[in-house]
Amino acid sequence: MTAPHLAAGRLAAVLDRLEQDGYAVVERLGGQRHAIELLQRIGRFLPQYTGTVEHEVVHRPGHEGRAYSQSRDTIRAHTEAPGWNPSPRYLALYCHRQARCGGGHTDLLDLHTLLGLLAAEDRALLTGAAVAFPGPDADREGHRPVTVPMLSYDGKRPVLRFSYNLLTAADYDAPLDAAPPPEQLPLGQRGIDLAHRVGALFAHHRTQVLIPDGALLIWDNQRMLHARSQYADERRHLTRYWIAA
């Protein structure tokens, strides 16, 4: 999808792609300013973890060995900010410079596909077991996490909250080798097993997107799992946005 579509007032085409596929790649926007203008027509920017509406997804030394946006390591399947109430409806990444090393893909998997692949007991765990998702005030005394099933519905629209790391390491940005005992985890061994099964299905059925320079990837965060592949090119640079519908 290219800039002329937007200039001709084809915002509906982007929204239709989000509705049909759960994500859209918009190319040749003419710069970050035009990407911001498009996103503002889709919804309202939300403050992210540091309180700013823009987060630079770029390598920063000191995060090695962690599943974190500013490391170069793999990030496993999750939805963004599951402890926010509500969680961001859409996520967007504007690509300043993509990795040239063959890594750094943004991987996506539609909930509708996942549900068709999971066993009945796993689907029941998604909808029936309440998980305490830490939110923006997790380090403050008296903080109450959002405690809800991983999958609920707003009318007919699904609201998915999922974190491989939370289920297996009790931390969103966990060290890659973290392995606390099951009794310290939100759903114990059941959660570990679910995370592993979802992770295996994700790896087999994901859509891999290597966002072109100057392009914007938008996806429905309440419907799509996402992840990132490891990369080596330290010049990779994207900007992330959270959007409320």
Side-chain angles (χ1 to χ4, degrees):
M1 192 168 298
T2 62
H5 291 268
L6 303 176
R10 295 290 300 277
L11 174 64
V14 178
L15 295 175
D16 285 347
R17 188 66 58 81
L18 288 171
E19 179 67 24
Q20 292 177 22
D21 300 334
Y23 73 97
V25 178
V26 187
E27 299 185 62
R28 297 190 289 278
L29 281 159
Q32 186 178 7
R33 178 175 65 84
H34 296 291
I36 291 171
E37 291 173 356
L38 168 62
L39 294 174
Q40 288 175 324
R41 296 173 68 188
I42 291 174
R44 172 176 54 88
F45 286 138
L46 294 172
Q48 300 184 46
Y49 300 107
T50 60
T52 62
V53 298
E54 293 187 338
H55 174 74
E56 302 308 320
V57 181
V58 63
H59 172 254
R60 305 267 190 223
H63 300 296
E64 293 78 10
R66 289 180 62 213
Y68 181 59
S69 63
Q70 294 184 334
S71 76
R72 292 181 287 118
D73 295 301
T74 298
I75 300 176
R76 305 297 290 267
H78 66 290
T79 62
E80 196 75 13
W84 272 241
N85 195 17
S87 59
R89 174 65 186 278
Y90 297 110
L91 247 69
L93 291 172
Y94 177 78
C95 182
H96 303 273
R97 185 187 187 278
Q98 187 52 263
R100 308 291 198 252
C101 60
H105 295 78
T106 302
D107 299 335
L108 300 166
L109 180 63
D110 195 329
L111 170 66
H112 303 311
T113 300
L114 178 65
L115 290 178
L117 297 167
L118 284 174
E121 56 267 30
D122 288 332
R123 296 195 300 270
L125 188 58
L126 283 175
T127 57
V131 174
F133 292 101
D137 300 319
D139 295 331
R140 297 183 184 179
E141 186 177 353
H143 163 73
R144 293 183 179 180
V146 175
T147 303
V148 292
M150 289 175 278
L151 176 58
S152 59
Y153 288 86
D154 181 2
K156 293 184 178 181
R157 188 176 62 78
V159 179
L160 178 64
R161 301 171 189 266
F162 185 86
S163 171
Y164 181 100
N165 287 344
L166 190 69
L167 292 177
T168 61
D171 186 348
Y172 294 138
D173 303 321
L176 298 179
D177 59 355
E183 58 268 22
Q184 296 180 8
L185 301 173
L187 292 179
Q189 189 62 47
R190 291 188 305 160
I192 296 172
D193 293 343
L194 175 66
H196 289 167
R197 286 191 287 269
V198 170
L201 291 170
F202 185 95
H204 188 70
H205 296 279
R206 65 192 171 184
T207 296
Q208 291 194 293
V209 180
L210 196 64
I211 311 169
D213 292 1
L216 181 71
L217 171 64
I218 315 166
W219 69 92
D220 186 335
N221 180 58
Q222 296 180 353
R223 169 181 163 185
M224 308 288 288
L225 288 171
H226 71 279
R228 185 191 68 203
S229 64
Q230 185 180 30
Y231 68 96
D233 185 353
E234 294 185 359
R235 296 180 64 190
R236 180 182 188 266
H237 181 196
L238 297 87
T239 301
R240 185 180 69 202
Y241 298 93
W242 294 0
I243 301 124

